[in-house]
Amino acid sequence: MTAVRTYFSDVFMGLWTALVGMSITLRYLFSKPVTEMYPDVKPRTPTRYRGIHVFEEEKCIGCYVCAKACPVDCIEIGVVRKGKEIKITKFDIDYQKCMFCDLCCEPCPAHCIHMGPEFEKASFTRKGTILQFATPKTLTEEEKKVEKVARK
Ligand code: SF4
Ligand code: SF4
């Protein structure tokens, strides 16, 4: 008798769980869809989103504080100084290493590096993941030497 009761109880439980599942499916069938049609529609990132950096070159004083603060050494900076003039010759971030921790932005005295909303920078090559933020400049031989020494 107990075996028959267990059999019917199992059948009932099977039907009941299927009904519960179907009721949830039906509820979602008639509600507003939440799917985002990426990449046709770009998702809106929250205001404090930590994406690809935004670098304001004209404000940068080439102090290396951000590079020193980075725990994984993924920022490479090149600077040439001539009196009061500062040329940022290199500002590369290696996104193979970057962990989007924001530690480089916090201590920047010029407030010129920020975490931005951009996230679409996937690359098929390793080299492609190193982003160059400084605008290319032509340097004199002397400036090249100065930059090399500064980097060391
Ligand atoms: S976000 Fe973090 S890991 Fe990325 S460059 Fe800045 S300090 Fe380095
Ligand atoms: S800490 Fe700021 S000012 Fe200094 S090198 Fe980095 S980005 Fe430029």
Side-chain angles (χ1 to χ4, degrees):
M1 192 65 188
T2 328
V4 176
R5 191 179 288 167
T6 312
Y7 171 78
F8 280 109
S9 158
D10 286 350
V11 170
F12 174 76
M13 282 310 288
L15 285 171
W16 176 249
T17 47
L19 271 174
V20 170
M22 285 308 289
S23 71
I24 292 168
T25 308
L26 272 172
R27 204 170 348 123
Y28 278 97
L29 198 65
F30 298 106
S31 61
K32 202 174 161 228
V34 289
T35 314
E36 288 184 343
M37 302 308 281
Y38 181 81
D40 297 328
V41 181
K42 218 173 159 187
R44 249 192 278 158
T45 47
T47 41
R48 296 182 69 190
Y49 185 76
R50 293 186 200 162
I52 301 293
H53 294 80
V54 173
F55 177 56
E56 296 174 79
E57 189 180 333
E58 63 293 345
K59 284 198 210 165
C60 180
I61 54 170
C63 63
Y64 298 96
V65 167
C66 53
K68 283 178 196 160
C70 177
V72 289
D73 283 336
C74 65
I75 306 179
E76 224 179 281
I77 305 171
V79 188
V80 173
R81 290 173 208 278
K82 220 178 195 182
K84 282 190 177 177
E85 194 196 333
I86 299 167
K87 266 190 200 171
I88 305 297
T89 54
K90 189 177 191 179
F91 199 97
D92 295 358
I93 299 181
D94 186 349
Y95 284 99
Q96 286 174 90
K97 295 184 196 167
C98 178
M99 50 189 185
F100 300 93
C101 63
D102 196 24
L103 290 176
C104 52
C105 308
E106 288 285 325
C108 174
H111 305 292
C112 61
I113 183 164
H114 322 276
M115 304 305 292
E118 186 58 68
F119 60 90
E120 292 173 313
K121 292 287 180 196
S123 167
F124 288 108
T125 61
R126 283 173 181 253
K127 217 177 164 192
T129 60
I130 302 170
L131 298 191
Q132 300 174 329
F133 290 88
T135 46
K137 293 173 189 74
T138 27
L139 299 178
T140 60
E141 282 307 311
E142 195 193 326
E143 285 175 332
K144 278 181 194 166
K145 275 184 206 160
V146 172
E147 190 206 25
K148 221 173 180 181
V149 172
R151 254 190 243 171
K152 275 180 193 167

